[in-house]
Amino acid sequence: MRIRTAGVVAVLGLALAASGCGDNSKDEPAAKESPKAASGKLVIWADDKRAAALKPFGEKFGQENGVTVEVQAVSKDLQTNFVTASQQGSGPDVVVGAHDWIGNLVQNGAIDPVQLAAEQKSAFNETAVKAVTFNGQVYGVPYATENIALIRNTELAPEAPKTIEELVATGKKLKAEKKASEILCLQSGQNGDAYHIYPLYTSAGGYLFGTAANGDYDPKDLGVGKPESIAAFQKIGKLGEKGDGALKRSITGENSIATFTGKKCAYLVSGPWAIADAKKAGIKYDISPVPGFAGGKEAQPFVGVQSFYVAAKGKNKALAQEFVTNYVTKPDLAVALYNAEPRPPALTAAFDQVKGTDPDLAKFSEAGKNGQVLPAIPAMAAIWDPFGKAEAAVIGGADPAKTITAAGKTISGQIK
């Protein structure tokens, strides 16, 4: 997850739809029919990396159940393409994607709840199950968690900073000594990045949505534009281009990792997806939680979950339920997906199996243990663009109070 964008789905023409995805049979299996008796084929959509990892497991599942399984890679706009294909009746039976799609997918009638027994739920990381629960129902089978942390070049910065102020002081010293050209690599760009700035926003007291009595996010309690968000952006502004220079719009999703691996900054705020590049560059690194402001609250990153969903309009729904509830829940499949792209497995048994060979897993998990589940409610789609642009403007020197108040009004108007 390098950057997040609004989850607004447009009605698009699909080249994929023309490829004949899904079963041509008009008969859905009856609710009580054995999955092995289901006719036709099971079609699974995933991105490139996960599709490659899933293919041998799909073949094995197909052999065991006497059906054909097609795992199809969708390289771009997977969520949008899935919703559009679902509306056209040409979508897959199973789709793999992020948990924060759920609100949008449910709103569009694109996915069904999944039937996980209590014993199965208990086999997963508790946060992962919470993430895939929407309106009191479980809508996905989680397989991996993800969150950002502070990745540190230990040759330049041997000790993990306890506060963001300590980080800035060390970064300034490294710049003065010409050992680095940037204080911190935290991606913003010209449009901001709400996902990566969120730990600092929460440490300074800001919030996006309050919570209802049942613990769900409450879209009616919008924190953006309230006094807490103004105070948070005032602190963020002091780290910006007119202040300490730790946050800069020239650090983007395209160059933040490369700037770190090029040894131009000692600190990178990123996720597990950055580690392969750091290793390839021969960087000696360590991973720790993103530090918060001195005297502030604990910095809380978003915790995201990757999940399997059953398509509401799939042609083999009973077989899809069987696959996601009784096959995806096996450790060997979770480990294969981890090997395809190392992110902490949501299945406890799989996590325990790989943690011994990957010390980074425990460090990322520790950095995210007090994180906040990324909101999956449809209202979250209204947050990304206005919040990000406000962040970028404040980093560039705009007035924090006016900027975030205006963003709050824009977001509130979109939610209504």
Side-chain angles (χ1 to χ4, degrees), residues 153-188:
N153 181 325
T154 55
E155 291 183 332
L156 295 174
E159 302 296 325
K162 294 183 175 64
T163 64
I164 194 68
E165 289 86 355
E166 185 181 324
L167 181 154
V168 170
T170 301
K172 284 183 174 180
K173 184 172 181 289
L174 290 169
K175 278 189 71 176
E177 296 170 348
K178 300 195 182 304
K179 293 179 179 177
S181 57
E182 302 290 350
I183 295 171
L184 170 65
C185 286
L186 188 156
Q187 67 188 60
S188 166

PDB file of all heavy atoms in Angstrom, residues 153-188:
ATOM      1  N   ASN A 153      17.882   3.694   8.819  1.00  0.00           N
ATOM      2  CA  ASN A 153      19.231   3.316   8.405  1.00  0.00           C
ATOM      3  C   ASN A 153      20.104   3.343   9.661  1.00  0.00           C
ATOM      4  O   ASN A 153      20.412   4.417  10.186  1.00  0.00           O
ATOM      5  CB  ASN A 153      19.752   4.288   7.350  1.00  0.00           C
ATOM      6  CG  ASN A 153      21.142   3.938   6.843  1.00  0.00           C
ATOM      7  OD1 ASN A 153      21.989   3.450   7.590  1.00  0.00           O
ATOM      8  ND2 ASN A 153      21.397   4.212   5.573  1.00  0.00           N
ATOM      9  N   THR A 154      20.494   2.175  10.150  1.00  0.00           N
ATOM     10  CA  THR A 154      21.199   2.106  11.431  1.00  0.00           C
ATOM     11  C   THR A 154      22.647   2.600  11.360  1.00  0.00           C
ATOM     12  O   THR A 154      23.244   2.896  12.390  1.00  0.00           O
ATOM     13  CB  THR A 154      21.180   0.669  11.980  1.00  0.00           C
ATOM     14  OG1 THR A 154      21.725  -0.225  10.991  1.00  0.00           O
ATOM     15  CG2 THR A 154      19.763   0.247  12.317  1.00  0.00           C
ATOM     16  N   GLU A 155      23.198   2.707  10.152  1.00  0.00           N
ATOM     17  CA  GLU A 155      24.537   3.281  10.024  1.00  0.00           C
ATOM     18  C   GLU A 155      24.497   4.787  10.240  1.00  0.00           C
ATOM     19  O   GLU A 155      25.441   5.376  10.766  1.00  0.00           O
ATOM     20  CB  GLU A 155      25.128   2.957   8.649  1.00  0.00           C
ATOM     21  CG  GLU A 155      25.472   1.472   8.474  1.00  0.00           C
ATOM     22  CD  GLU A 155      26.112   1.193   7.131  1.00  0.00           C
ATOM     23  OE1 GLU A 155      25.832   1.943   6.162  1.00  0.00           O
ATOM     24  OE2 GLU A 155      26.892   0.237   7.044  1.00  0.00           O
ATOM     25  N   LEU A 156      23.407   5.415   9.833  1.00  0.00           N
ATOM     26  CA  LEU A 156      23.255   6.858  10.010  1.00  0.00           C
ATOM     27  C   LEU A 156      22.604   7.205  11.350  1.00  0.00           C
ATOM     28  O   LEU A 156      22.922   8.229  11.957  1.00  0.00           O
ATOM     29  CB  LEU A 156      22.409   7.435   8.873  1.00  0.00           C
ATOM     30  CG  LEU A 156      23.009   7.356   7.464  1.00  0.00           C
ATOM     31  CD1 LEU A 156      22.006   7.833   6.424  1.00  0.00           C
ATOM     32  CD2 LEU A 156      24.299   8.169   7.388  1.00  0.00           C
ATOM     33  N   ALA A 157      21.670   6.367  11.789  1.00  0.00           N
ATOM     34  CA  ALA A 157      20.927   6.623  13.031  1.00  0.00           C
ATOM     35  C   ALA A 157      20.846   5.319  13.827  1.00  0.00           C
ATOM     36  O   ALA A 157      19.897   4.556  13.680  1.00  0.00           O
ATOM     37  CB  ALA A 157      19.532   7.150  12.710  1.00  0.00           C
ATOM     38  N   PRO A 158      21.835   5.049  14.667  1.00  0.00           N
ATOM     39  CA  PRO A 158      21.885   3.770  15.391  1.00  0.00           C
ATOM     40  C   PRO A 158      20.718   3.534  16.349  1.00  0.00           C
ATOM     41  O   PRO A 158      20.296   2.405  16.542  1.00  0.00           O
ATOM     42  CB  PRO A 158      23.208   3.855  16.167  1.00  0.00           C
ATOM     43  CG  PRO A 158      24.021   4.884  15.433  1.00  0.00           C
ATOM     44  CD  PRO A 158      23.039   5.867  14.907  1.00  0.00           C
ATOM     45  N   GLU A 159      20.201   4.611  16.947  1.00  0.00           N
ATOM     46  CA  GLU A 159      19.149   4.475  17.957  1.00  0.00           C
ATOM     47  C   GLU A 159      17.793   4.904  17.410  1.00  0.00           C
ATOM     48  O   GLU A 159      17.690   5.889  16.662  1.00  0.00           O
ATOM     49  CB  GLU A 159      19.473   5.319  19.196  1.00  0.00           C
ATOM     50  CG  GLU A 159      20.804   4.966  19.866  1.00  0.00           C
ATOM     51  CD  GLU A 159      20.811   3.559  20.408  1.00  0.00           C
ATOM     52  OE1 GLU A 159      19.756   3.101  20.883  1.00  0.00           O
ATOM     53  OE2 GLU A 159      21.873   2.900  20.353  1.00  0.00           O
ATOM     54  N   ALA A 160      16.760   4.181  17.803  1.00  0.00           N
ATOM     55  CA  ALA A 160      15.399   4.560  17.415  1.00  0.00           C
ATOM     56  C   ALA A 160      14.967   5.808  18.182  1.00  0.00           C
ATOM     57  O   ALA A 160      15.110   5.858  19.405  1.00  0.00           O
ATOM     58  CB  ALA A 160      14.429   3.424  17.708  1.00  0.00           C
ATOM     59  N   PRO A 161      14.454   6.834  17.504  1.00  0.00           N
ATOM     60  CA  PRO A 161      14.009   8.053  18.201  1.00  0.00           C
ATOM     61  C   PRO A 161      12.747   7.804  19.017  1.00  0.00           C
ATOM     62  O   PRO A 161      11.850   7.089  18.567  1.00  0.00           O
ATOM     63  CB  PRO A 161      13.749   9.034  17.056  1.00  0.00           C
ATOM     64  CG  PRO A 161      13.413   8.171  15.880  1.00  0.00           C
ATOM     65  CD  PRO A 161      14.234   6.932  16.040  1.00  0.00           C
ATOM     66  N   LYS A 162      12.711   8.386  20.196  1.00  0.00           N
ATOM     67  CA  LYS A 162      11.533   8.219  21.056  1.00  0.00           C
ATOM     68  C   LYS A 162      10.416   9.194  20.688  1.00  0.00           C
ATOM     69  O   LYS A 162       9.244   8.933  20.974  1.00  0.00           O
ATOM     70  CB  LYS A 162      11.930   8.410  22.527  1.00  0.00           C
ATOM     71  CG  LYS A 162      12.870   7.329  23.058  1.00  0.00           C
ATOM     72  CD  LYS A 162      13.160   7.552  24.531  1.00  0.00           C
ATOM     73  CE  LYS A 162      13.996   6.425  25.112  1.00  0.00           C
ATOM     74  NZ  LYS A 162      15.336   6.333  24.500  1.00  0.00           N
ATOM     75  N   THR A 163      10.772  10.321  20.091  1.00  0.00           N
ATOM     76  CA  THR A 163       9.780  11.323  19.693  1.00  0.00           C
ATOM     77  C   THR A 163      10.112  11.826  18.296  1.00  0.00           C
ATOM     78  O   THR A 163      11.236  11.673  17.810  1.00  0.00           O
ATOM     79  CB  THR A 163       9.776  12.529  20.656  1.00  0.00           C
ATOM     80  OG1 THR A 163      11.066  13.186  20.573  1.00  0.00           O
ATOM     81  CG2 THR A 163       9.523  12.089  22.092  1.00  0.00           C
ATOM     82  N   ILE A 164       9.155  12.480  17.667  1.00  0.00           N
ATOM     83  CA  ILE A 164       9.408  13.041  16.349  1.00  0.00           C
ATOM     84  C   ILE A 164      10.409  14.189  16.458  1.00  0.00           C
ATOM     85  O   ILE A 164      11.216  14.426  15.549  1.00  0.00           O
ATOM     86  CB  ILE A 164       8.085  13.488  15.668  1.00  0.00           C
ATOM     87  CG1 ILE A 164       8.304  13.762  14.173  1.00  0.00           C
ATOM     88  CG2 ILE A 164       7.477  14.690  16.360  1.00  0.00           C
ATOM     89  CD1 ILE A 164       8.605  12.552  13.349  1.00  0.00           C
ATOM     90  N   GLU A 165      10.387  14.878  17.587  1.00  0.00           N
ATOM     91  CA  GLU A 165      11.348  15.966  17.793  1.00  0.00           C
ATOM     92  C   GLU A 165      12.776  15.427  17.837  1.00  0.00           C
ATOM     93  O   GLU A 165      13.705  16.041  17.288  1.00  0.00           O
ATOM     94  CB  GLU A 165      11.032  16.724  19.085  1.00  0.00           C
ATOM     95  CG  GLU A 165       9.776  17.578  19.027  1.00  0.00           C
ATOM     96  CD  GLU A 165       8.490  16.821  19.361  1.00  0.00           C
ATOM     97  OE1 GLU A 165       8.559  15.584  19.542  1.00  0.00           O
ATOM     98  OE2 GLU A 165       7.431  17.461  19.447  1.00  0.00           O
ATOM     99  N   GLU A 166      12.950  14.281  18.475  1.00  0.00           N
ATOM    100  CA  GLU A 166      14.277  13.660  18.536  1.00  0.00           C
ATOM    101  C   GLU A 166      14.717  13.232  17.133  1.00  0.00           C
ATOM    102  O   GLU A 166      15.892  13.388  16.768  1.00  0.00           O
ATOM    103  CB  GLU A 166      14.230  12.457  19.480  1.00  0.00           C
ATOM    104  CG  GLU A 166      15.568  11.785  19.725  1.00  0.00           C
ATOM    105  CD  GLU A 166      15.459  10.586  20.639  1.00  0.00           C
ATOM    106  OE1 GLU A 166      14.646  10.621  21.588  1.00  0.00           O
ATOM    107  OE2 GLU A 166      16.184   9.597  20.389  1.00  0.00           O
ATOM    108  N   LEU A 167      13.789  12.703  16.365  1.00  0.00           N
ATOM    109  CA  LEU A 167      14.089  12.320  14.986  1.00  0.00           C
ATOM    110  C   LEU A 167      14.542  13.536  14.177  1.00  0.00           C
ATOM    111  O   LEU A 167      15.534  13.465  13.441  1.00  0.00           O
ATOM    112  CB  LEU A 167      12.854  11.675  14.353  1.00  0.00           C
ATOM    113  CG  LEU A 167      12.952  11.174  12.904  1.00  0.00           C
ATOM    114  CD1 LEU A 167      11.945  10.054  12.660  1.00  0.00           C
ATOM    115  CD2 LEU A 167      12.709  12.284  11.883  1.00  0.00           C
ATOM    116  N   VAL A 168      13.803  14.634  14.296  1.00  0.00           N
ATOM    117  CA  VAL A 168      14.135  15.852  13.546  1.00  0.00           C
ATOM    118  C   VAL A 168      15.517  16.365  13.938  1.00  0.00           C
ATOM    119  O   VAL A 168      16.315  16.764  13.074  1.00  0.00           O
ATOM    120  CB  VAL A 168      13.057  16.933  13.764  1.00  0.00           C
ATOM    121  CG1 VAL A 168      13.510  18.274  13.203  1.00  0.00           C
ATOM    122  CG2 VAL A 168      11.745  16.517  13.107  1.00  0.00           C
ATOM    123  N   ALA A 169      15.829  16.343  15.228  1.00  0.00           N
ATOM    124  CA  ALA A 169      17.136  16.822  15.689  1.00  0.00           C
ATOM    125  C   ALA A 169      18.267  15.994  15.085  1.00  0.00           C
ATOM    126  O   ALA A 169      19.276  16.545  14.613  1.00  0.00           O
ATOM    127  CB  ALA A 169      17.198  16.783  17.215  1.00  0.00           C
ATOM    128  N   THR A 170      18.096  14.678  15.071  1.00  0.00           N
ATOM    129  CA  THR A 170      19.111  13.800  14.481  1.00  0.00           C
ATOM    130  C   THR A 170      19.211  14.022  12.979  1.00  0.00           C
ATOM    131  O   THR A 170      20.312  14.081  12.412  1.00  0.00           O
ATOM    132  CB  THR A 170      18.793  12.320  14.774  1.00  0.00           C
ATOM    133  OG1 THR A 170      18.735  12.112  16.182  1.00  0.00           O
ATOM    134  CG2 THR A 170      19.850  11.405  14.174  1.00  0.00           C
ATOM    135  N   GLY A 171      18.061  14.156  12.329  1.00  0.00           N
ATOM    136  CA  GLY A 171      18.047  14.402  10.890  1.00  0.00           C
ATOM    137  C   GLY A 171      18.727  15.703  10.516  1.00  0.00           C
ATOM    138  O   GLY A 171      19.468  15.773   9.521  1.00  0.00           O
ATOM    139  N   LYS A 172      18.508  16.740  11.304  1.00  0.00           N
ATOM    140  CA  LYS A 172      19.159  18.033  11.046  1.00  0.00           C
ATOM    141  C   LYS A 172      20.669  17.923  11.217  1.00  0.00           C
ATOM    142  O   LYS A 172      21.449  18.501  10.435  1.00  0.00           O
ATOM    143  CB  LYS A 172      18.600  19.102  11.988  1.00  0.00           C
ATOM    144  CG  LYS A 172      17.218  19.613  11.615  1.00  0.00           C
ATOM    145  CD  LYS A 172      16.781  20.716  12.570  1.00  0.00           C
ATOM    146  CE  LYS A 172      15.469  21.346  12.123  1.00  0.00           C
ATOM    147  NZ  LYS A 172      15.029  22.418  13.046  1.00  0.00           N
ATOM    148  N   LYS A 173      21.080  17.172  12.214  1.00  0.00           N
ATOM    149  CA  LYS A 173      22.511  16.985  12.469  1.00  0.00           C
ATOM    150  C   LYS A 173      23.165  16.247  11.299  1.00  0.00           C
ATOM    151  O   LYS A 173      24.260  16.619  10.842  1.00  0.00           O
ATOM    152  CB  LYS A 173      22.696  16.201  13.772  1.00  0.00           C
ATOM    153  CG  LYS A 173      24.143  16.000  14.219  1.00  0.00           C
ATOM    154  CD  LYS A 173      24.184  15.385  15.612  1.00  0.00           C
ATOM    155  CE  LYS A 173      25.617  15.200  16.108  1.00  0.00           C
ATOM    156  NZ  LYS A 173      26.328  14.127  15.375  1.00  0.00           N
ATOM    157  N   LEU A 174      22.499  15.224  10.786  1.00  0.00           N
ATOM    158  CA  LEU A 174      23.024  14.478   9.649  1.00  0.00           C
ATOM    159  C   LEU A 174      23.117  15.352   8.407  1.00  0.00           C
ATOM    160  O   LEU A 174      24.067  15.241   7.615  1.00  0.00           O
ATOM    161  CB  LEU A 174      22.142  13.255   9.372  1.00  0.00           C
ATOM    162  CG  LEU A 174      22.199  12.137  10.416  1.00  0.00           C
ATOM    163  CD1 LEU A 174      21.087  11.119  10.167  1.00  0.00           C
ATOM    164  CD2 LEU A 174      23.558  11.443  10.395  1.00  0.00           C
ATOM    165  N   LYS A 175      22.155  16.240   8.246  1.00  0.00           N
ATOM    166  CA  LYS A 175      22.202  17.169   7.111  1.00  0.00           C
ATOM    167  C   LYS A 175      23.366  18.143   7.257  1.00  0.00           C
ATOM    168  O   LYS A 175      24.095  18.402   6.292  1.00  0.00           O
ATOM    169  CB  LYS A 175      20.883  17.957   7.008  1.00  0.00           C
ATOM    170  CG  LYS A 175      19.764  17.222   6.303  1.00  0.00           C
ATOM    171  CD  LYS A 175      18.576  18.130   6.031  1.00  0.00           C
ATOM    172  CE  LYS A 175      18.878  19.154   4.946  1.00  0.00           C
ATOM    173  NZ  LYS A 175      17.692  19.978   4.609  1.00  0.00           N
ATOM    174  N   ALA A 176      23.533  18.666   8.464  1.00  0.00           N
ATOM    175  CA  ALA A 176      24.626  19.614   8.704  1.00  0.00           C
ATOM    176  C   ALA A 176      25.984  18.966   8.453  1.00  0.00           C
ATOM    177  O   ALA A 176      26.925  19.618   7.977  1.00  0.00           O
ATOM    178  CB  ALA A 176      24.546  20.139  10.138  1.00  0.00           C
ATOM    179  N   GLU A 177      26.068  17.677   8.744  1.00  0.00           N
ATOM    180  CA  GLU A 177      27.320  16.927   8.532  1.00  0.00           C
ATOM    181  C   GLU A 177      27.435  16.392   7.114  1.00  0.00           C
ATOM    182  O   GLU A 177      28.392  15.688   6.791  1.00  0.00           O
ATOM    183  CB  GLU A 177      27.398  15.767   9.536  1.00  0.00           C
ATOM    184  CG  GLU A 177      27.479  16.211  10.994  1.00  0.00           C
ATOM    185  CD  GLU A 177      27.321  15.047  11.971  1.00  0.00           C
ATOM    186  OE1 GLU A 177      26.922  13.940  11.516  1.00  0.00           O
ATOM    187  OE2 GLU A 177      27.546  15.247  13.172  1.00  0.00           O
ATOM    188  N   LYS A 178      26.431  16.731   6.273  1.00  0.00           N
ATOM    189  CA  LYS A 178      26.377  16.306   4.873  1.00  0.00           C
ATOM    190  C   LYS A 178      26.365  14.771   4.715  1.00  0.00           C
ATOM    191  O   LYS A 178      26.842  14.224   3.719  1.00  0.00           O
ATOM    192  CB  LYS A 178      27.522  16.928   4.077  1.00  0.00           C
ATOM    193  CG  LYS A 178      27.504  18.457   4.083  1.00  0.00           C
ATOM    194  CD  LYS A 178      28.385  19.033   3.020  1.00  0.00           C
ATOM    195  CE  LYS A 178      28.396  20.558   3.064  1.00  0.00           C
ATOM    196  NZ  LYS A 178      27.050  21.157   2.966  1.00  0.00           N
ATOM    197  N   LYS A 179      25.787  14.090   5.715  1.00  0.00           N
ATOM    198  CA  LYS A 179      25.626  12.643   5.647  1.00  0.00           C
ATOM    199  C   LYS A 179      24.255  12.265   5.076  1.00  0.00           C
ATOM    200  O   LYS A 179      23.998  11.102   4.771  1.00  0.00           O
ATOM    201  CB  LYS A 179      25.789  12.024   7.036  1.00  0.00           C
ATOM    202  CG  LYS A 179      27.205  12.149   7.596  1.00  0.00           C
ATOM    203  CD  LYS A 179      27.297  11.533   8.978  1.00  0.00           C
ATOM    204  CE  LYS A 179      28.705  11.638   9.537  1.00  0.00           C
ATOM    205  NZ  LYS A 179      28.795  11.093  10.917  1.00  0.00           N
ATOM    206  N   ALA A 180      23.375  13.253   4.973  1.00  0.00           N
ATOM    207  CA  ALA A 180      22.039  13.070   4.411  1.00  0.00           C
ATOM    208  C   ALA A 180      21.580  14.387   3.812  1.00  0.00           C
ATOM    209  O   ALA A 180      22.082  15.464   4.191  1.00  0.00           O
ATOM    210  CB  ALA A 180      21.061  12.603   5.477  1.00  0.00           C
ATOM    211  N   SER A 181      20.648  14.306   2.883  1.00  0.00           N
ATOM    212  CA  SER A 181      20.112  15.531   2.277  1.00  0.00           C
ATOM    213  C   SER A 181      18.676  15.804   2.701  1.00  0.00           C
ATOM    214  O   SER A 181      18.143  16.879   2.444  1.00  0.00           O
ATOM    215  CB  SER A 181      20.194  15.445   0.749  1.00  0.00           C
ATOM    216  OG  SER A 181      19.503  14.306   0.274  1.00  0.00           O
ATOM    217  N   GLU A 182      18.052  14.823   3.340  1.00  0.00           N
ATOM    218  CA  GLU A 182      16.679  14.987   3.832  1.00  0.00           C
ATOM    219  C   GLU A 182      16.610  14.545   5.297  1.00  0.00           C
ATOM    220  O   GLU A 182      17.322  13.621   5.707  1.00  0.00           O
ATOM    221  CB  GLU A 182      15.694  14.151   3.016  1.00  0.00           C
ATOM    222  CG  GLU A 182      15.665  14.459   1.530  1.00  0.00           C
ATOM    223  CD  GLU A 182      15.057  15.814   1.196  1.00  0.00           C
ATOM    224  OE1 GLU A 182      14.477  16.444   2.109  1.00  0.00           O
ATOM    225  OE2 GLU A 182      15.179  16.252   0.045  1.00  0.00           O
ATOM    226  N   ILE A 183      15.738  15.180   6.056  1.00  0.00           N
ATOM    227  CA  ILE A 183      15.553  14.823   7.462  1.00  0.00           C
ATOM    228  C   ILE A 183      14.738  13.541   7.588  1.00  0.00           C
ATOM    229  O   ILE A 183      15.069  12.638   8.360  1.00  0.00           O
ATOM    230  CB  ILE A 183      14.846  15.963   8.222  1.00  0.00           C
ATOM    231  CG1 ILE A 183      15.738  17.204   8.263  1.00  0.00           C
ATOM    232  CG2 ILE A 183      14.468  15.529   9.645  1.00  0.00           C
ATOM    233  CD1 ILE A 183      15.041  18.447   8.814  1.00  0.00           C
ATOM    234  N   LEU A 184      13.683  13.464   6.786  1.00  0.00           N
ATOM    235  CA  LEU A 184      12.723  12.357   6.901  1.00  0.00           C
ATOM    236  C   LEU A 184      12.105  12.076   5.534  1.00  0.00           C
ATOM    237  O   LEU A 184      11.746  13.007   4.811  1.00  0.00           O
ATOM    238  CB  LEU A 184      11.618  12.736   7.898  1.00  0.00           C
ATOM    239  CG  LEU A 184      10.385  11.841   8.000  1.00  0.00           C
ATOM    240  CD1 LEU A 184      10.757  10.457   8.531  1.00  0.00           C
ATOM    241  CD2 LEU A 184       9.336  12.485   8.911  1.00  0.00           C
ATOM    242  N   CYS A 185      11.977  10.810   5.200  1.00  0.00           N
ATOM    243  CA  CYS A 185      11.274  10.420   3.980  1.00  0.00           C
ATOM    244  C   CYS A 185       9.885   9.916   4.367  1.00  0.00           C
ATOM    245  O   CYS A 185       9.688   8.735   4.679  1.00  0.00           O
ATOM    246  CB  CYS A 185      12.046   9.339   3.231  1.00  0.00           C
ATOM    247  SG  CYS A 185      13.516   9.960   2.402  1.00  0.00           S
ATOM    248  N   LEU A 186       8.922  10.822   4.378  1.00  0.00           N
ATOM    249  CA  LEU A 186       7.512  10.505   4.616  1.00  0.00           C
ATOM    250  C   LEU A 186       6.755  11.094   3.445  1.00  0.00           C
ATOM    251  O   LEU A 186       6.703  12.308   3.275  1.00  0.00           O
ATOM    252  CB  LEU A 186       7.033  11.089   5.950  1.00  0.00           C
ATOM    253  CG  LEU A 186       5.633  10.683   6.418  1.00  0.00           C
ATOM    254  CD1 LEU A 186       5.501  10.819   7.938  1.00  0.00           C
ATOM    255  CD2 LEU A 186       4.528  11.503   5.754  1.00  0.00           C
ATOM    256  N   GLN A 187       6.200  10.237   2.608  1.00  0.00           N
ATOM    257  CA  GLN A 187       5.636  10.697   1.353  1.00  0.00           C
ATOM    258  C   GLN A 187       4.425  11.609   1.529  1.00  0.00           C
ATOM    259  O   GLN A 187       3.550  11.369   2.342  1.00  0.00           O
ATOM    260  CB  GLN A 187       5.281   9.514   0.461  1.00  0.00           C
ATOM    261  CG  GLN A 187       4.162   8.624   0.946  1.00  0.00           C
ATOM    262  CD  GLN A 187       4.028   7.381   0.084  1.00  0.00           C
ATOM    263  OE1 GLN A 187       4.955   6.581  -0.029  1.00  0.00           O
ATOM    264  NE2 GLN A 187       2.873   7.203  -0.540  1.00  0.00           N
ATOM    265  N   SER A 188       4.436  12.687   0.729  1.00  0.00           N
ATOM    266  CA  SER A 188       3.323  13.629   0.691  1.00  0.00           C
ATOM    267  C   SER A 188       2.972  13.936  -0.762  1.00  0.00           C
ATOM    268  O   SER A 188       1.894  13.633  -1.226  1.00  0.00           O
ATOM    269  CB  SER A 188       3.670  14.913   1.442  1.00  0.00           C
ATOM    270  OG  SER A 188       2.734  15.930   1.138  1.00  0.00           O
TER     271      SER A 188
END
